[in-house]
Each structure stands twice: as C-alpha cells, then as structure tokens.
Amino acid sequence: MNADRLPPVAPEVTATLVENLSPRLRKRLDAAVTKLGARTTRRDGDTVTIEVDDETELRLHAPGGVVATTDAITCGCLLAPACVHRAAAACAAPAADLAPELVDRPTAEVPDPASVTDLAAASATAPASETDPASVTDRTSETDPASATDRTPATDRTPVTDRAPTPALDSASSPEVASPDQRAAADALWSAGAAVLEAGVDGAGAVTQSALLRAAHTARLRQLPRASGAALSVVTLLRAARAGDPSYRTADLVTALAELLGTAHRVGTSSGAELAAVRGRARRPYSPDGSLRLYGLFTEPVVTDSGHGGVRTWVAGSDGRLFTVGDVAPGGVGRALGVADRAVRLGDSALTHRELGRAGLAVAGATVSPDGRLGAGKGVKAVTARGAAWTEPPLAALWETPPSEQAARALRSTSRYADPDGGGSDLLFLDVELLGAVRESGGSCLLARCAGGVPVRLTVADDDPALAHRDNVTLLAAAPGTRLRIIGRLVPAPHPRLTLLACSHPSGEGTVDLGFDRLRRADLPDPTAPVHPAPPRPGGSGAHSPLYLLERRVEQTVPAGRAALGMLGDVTAETRRIRRAGLPTAAGLLTALCASAARRDRDFFGRLLPADTDGFATYWLAAARYTAAVAESLCSAAWEPTQEGAR
C-alpha cells in the first residue's frame, strides 16, 4: 500500500490514537504499520478502505480530503476501538498541515529560564575570521530577519552542557516576548526533536513521531506555525527514510531537525520583530501592490518528487523587482509540458506562459506574496503589453550588478535556515564565456567564465529526458568561446555553481527557455570546437576546506542516533586537521559533540544514568548551524573576482 493512497490525517488525530494505546500495543505499532502497508486499499468517495485481513476492514473517512477526528477512523476487529490498527493507519497516512483554530493571541509575559546555550545562538552566523578574511564578503542580511537573529560572532570555546538562564525581561518596558504557553509549546518541540536525535531514524518509530505530531499541533494552536511546520517536515522525512523512499536525503532531515530545534529554542529568547519572524505565519498573505508594469524574462518547467508538475514564469517590474506567475498541480512532467502553452491565470490576459516569458503585462490592482508570487484574485486586471529584450531597459539592469553581490543576495534566499517570509530571489544574471564541458565526480557540467574572471559550473536543472535541459547543455558544451547572457539558479557550494535555466540565443537574436526550447547544432557558432578535458583548479578559501569532517559527524547522528556517534572513539586527528585549516571553533564543536555523545554518568551505586539528551541536542544544533553558516560564507567568498579578473 502506498501512503499516498491514504488521505492526510490531522496531527492531533494520530497523536491521540497513539497515546491511547496500551504500552503492549505501542511496542507492536511499528510492525503493525509495516504490515498494514502491504494490504490493499480502495476508495469510495471520501472513504478509503483497507483490508486488514479476509474478514476485517479498516475505514478512513475524510470529508474535505482530511481525516480530522479520531472517530473518522474505524476498524471492524474485535478489539476496536482500542486496537492497534486505527493508530497504525493514522501513522501510515501523510500528516495534514491544517490551519490553526481561531484562538486569542497570547499576551506577553515574563519569560522563564531559556533552553539554549550561547554557542547555539552564536553558530548561526559564519565567522569570517575562520575562513579567508581577504575573500569572505560582508553577509549582513537586509531581507532575512529570521536568519539574522543568531548572528553573534562564534567564539573559539567549547560549549557548555548546562542551559544558562536568561535574565527576566520587563514586559512593560521591553518589546513583546513569548507567552508562557508559547514557551511551553516550544519546550515540547525541543524535547521531541531531541528524542529523534537520541534514537536516530531507525529508532524514531511511530511513538516518537506521534510525540512530534502532538507538539506540532500544540505549537500551531499557540500561534507558532513556523516551528509547527518544521516538526511536520521532520515527521514526513522520518517516514520517507524508514520507508526507503528514493527521494529521501539525509541532508534534508538534518536541515529540518536543525530548523525545528533552532526555532524552538529561539522562542524563549526572542522579542519584538525577531519573535515575529520566529513565530512565522500560518499562511503567506498576498498584499496589494497597486499597478505594475511587468516584462517577461523566461519560463521554467516545475516537476517535483511528489508527482506535481507545471510551470513558473518569471517577470520583472520596471524597478527591477522579480515576480512569478505559476501553475503547478498533480501531473508530473507531462503536465509541465502541456501547461506551458496554456493561458496565464492573471486578469484578462490571453498570453500563454511561454509567450509571457517574452512579452509584457500591465497589471492593475496587483497582489503579491512575500516570495514574489502574483495573485490572481477577482480584483486583479491585466492586459498584454510590449515586452523588452534582455539588452534593453529595464531588464538590462539585472545583468549590471556584480556577480559577487548577486551571489550574496541569492544566498540569503537559499540559506538552509532563511526566514520563510524573507523574500528575495535565488536567480543570478550573468554574462559568460563558455569554456566547454568538464568532468566531475557526479558526471559532467558546462564550465563558463563570468565577470571578474570567476569560473562558474553550469549544471542541468532537470535530468528528465522529456525536458530539453540535458540536450541543450550538451550542445552548448560543444561550443567553447561562445558568449552568452544567462539566467541561472544558485547552487550553494564551495565553488561558483548554477543550474542553467535560460540564455540568450547563440545567434544573438531572442532568448532560449532551456527547459522547453531545443537548440540545434546549426544554432551554434562552431560545433566542432574541442572540449576542455578538465576544469581549472578551483580557487577560494573553501576549495579544500576540511569542514566536511564536522559535517559528516552531524549527518551520522541522524540515521544512527547519539549512541552510534559516541562509539566513534578518538577524533584528535580530525580536530588537529581542522585547526590547521584555521577553524578552531569547528574543532571545538567536533570534540564537544563526540564527547557528549559518549558521556554516560553513573549514580552512587554504579548504575548508568539516563543520557543527557538536551545537552547533546544543544551541541548538535550548534554544530549543524555552524557548518551551514561557514559553508555559506565559503560559497560567497568563491564568487569574489579572481586576481587575474580584477586586473
């Protein structure tokens, strides 16, 4: 049985069903989930039926598409409703992300002792002094308030296990702080996330997941949608990992867990605007933006691992702001190819998405979301207007910003822990000279040189053979020396790297949407030119950084749990190598993380005491946030002009 065949179940329903099980049945829950997954299902309207055995059926009733109450899951076995089948079905189904019930906004109260160390907060920013002072750019955020809150410079000290209390704030004279209910909800999220780190993926079964779901539901009711969403993401990824989903990546679960723990601990220490960013929004609002004159840039196909497909068309305003018009729904790559030639859902415009990518729009009564999506409400009026070439104003200005500044801006958008409402774009607009194909460990890519002499690797945005990305990049790699104006999406890496989305036509006339338009050999200036056999040596301070020694320990914790990391033994050689590279804080974090994982104290009689899960989670969070911040600084530094290009 595929979990996608089951209707989503509200988090509180799953948590309640698991909590109501007896201890004996909880031990059998994971096996019951696996067994239920092998049974056949059938759908009849809003009801999905699972055949538990030849004589027993389990029904999930989902009016509106979501199982919202415990009574909506019924079982025909003799032990019902106290049977394990109902809880197993809820655990096997996707978790629904419901809007919170309307409750009174909590009032500001004096916070109680915080549950976070100073280093955990400090590690959220990249310490420039530990990379290359000459090449790391200033990364002060202008549009990302949430990611800027933890930007106290990291120090070269070993973090302490005990959580230091925070001085009480006077709510009458200080900015708004979290209410006691919000802090309690955040503490529950922290404990649930720490339990996942303790157990690892293999040990984080249905009972551990139900604790996360209960904490997520409570956080949503306490007006903490950002932390609640992070908890649901952790549950979804845990289930994917345990089910062997090929789309699962350990790095994704590391990011989700660090987002959950980091957001939870910041609830108790934030105030004012920072607290608003930590709380997040239940829904991203569309705000009025008056009249807009828009110019099409390009259209890209959108195909997701969940089976959705569609397109996203990028347009720019006369002031240089970027906006998108999208159409994504279940359907995969086939739908993406078909939707590209359908009319845009915006006002009275008859333009298709691909036509809009080269034309223009005049919009009245526009509404825009924080991430730049244009609303299509009844009050929005739009008519077709003249577009602009990439070499004409206002679009030409997008290519005039230096690549290093564009990369720094895009990094604020692509940061693993960026504010969801921070806005910004991850696109870069570059003038490049193609150098040819280069081989990498994962295959090959197209090498180019942009302003400042910076070598940039251009990769395929989507490998699906139905799309034109792969064929187009292969053809462009056969024409070194060609100069193009390109649009790409930043890929955070220790070297400059983009996924190639659109480019000017090699003939100099028009543009190419590389996901849809197919180039021909006749379009290339010299299809017989030789190909570069190897890339130039990458420069920058992060080219050979040993930061991965800490990153891999952070990742190893997630699948195996704390105990497995504690059995690694002496890491002196690794820390010595990290210190020699000028990363003393990373060395201290690695030592502290492994020591905390191995530490088990004993009582007066020599019996082992419970592990300090909170202390270990604090070390792990500090290491995860630190490695992400340093990696982003190394990426930003790699885009700085080379000495040859500066001359």
Side-chain angles (χ1 to χ4, degrees), residues 448-508:
R449 182 184 294 110
C450 68
V454 178
V456 183
R457 288 171 168 83
L458 306 176
T459 62
V460 176
D462 195 312
D463 274 319
D464 195 303
L467 301 174
H469 290 293
R470 172 62 65 186
D471 293 341
N472 285 334
V473 172
T474 300
L475 278 176
L476 291 174
T482 303
R483 296 181 179 273
L484 296 175
R485 180 158 279 193
I486 68 170
I487 302 176
R489 178 167 288 115
L490 178 71
V491 178
H495 52 266
R497 193 177 190 89
L498 301 177
T499 55
L500 192 56
L501 301 174
C503 69
S504 59
H505 198 281
S507 66

Side-chain angles (χ1 to χ4, degrees), residues 226-293:
R226 179 174 179 178
S228 176
L232 292 181
S233 296
V234 171
V235 171
T236 300
L237 289 167
L238 281 174
R239 291 176 175 178
R242 292 172 63 85
D245 189 333
S247 65
Y248 166 77
R249 299 291 183 271
T250 300
D252 295 336
L253 184 51
V254 169
T255 299
L257 267 172
E259 168 70 9
L260 169 62
L261 294 171
T263 304
H265 86 244
R266 287 169 60 195
V267 168
T269 59
S270 304
S271 62
E274 179 184 346
L275 177 60
V278 172
R279 284 172 175 163
R281 297 178 185 268
R283 290 188 175 91
R284 294 185 179 182
Y286 281 80
S287 57
D289 207 341
S291 298
L292 295 175
R293 180 65 169 90

Side-chain angles (χ1 to χ4, degrees), residues 392-405:
E392 299 175 350
L395 299 185
L398 297 172
W399 279 265
E400 295 174 0
T401 303
S404 58
E405 294 183 20

Side-chain angles (χ1 to χ4, degrees), residues 554-627:
V554 170
E555 289 198 1
Q556 284 175 345
T557 306
V558 172
R562 177 197 57 79
L565 189 65
M567 294 187 293
L568 291 177
D570 186 23
V571 292
T572 303
E574 295 180 8
T575 57
R576 186 182 300 115
R577 180 179 174 187
I578 294 174
R579 288 184 184 277
R580 284 201 301 265
L583 298 171
T585 301
L589 282 170
L590 178 59
T591 300
L593 179 66
C594 293
S596 177
R599 184 181 301 121
R600 289 294 301 274
D601 296 330
R602 297 179 180 271
D603 63 11
F604 182 77
F605 299 100
R607 295 171 298 191
L608 282 174
L609 295 173
D612 181 12
T613 57
D614 284 350
F616 176 73
T618 301
Y619 286 117
W620 184 89
L621 173 61
R625 295 297 296 262
Y626 173 88
T627 54

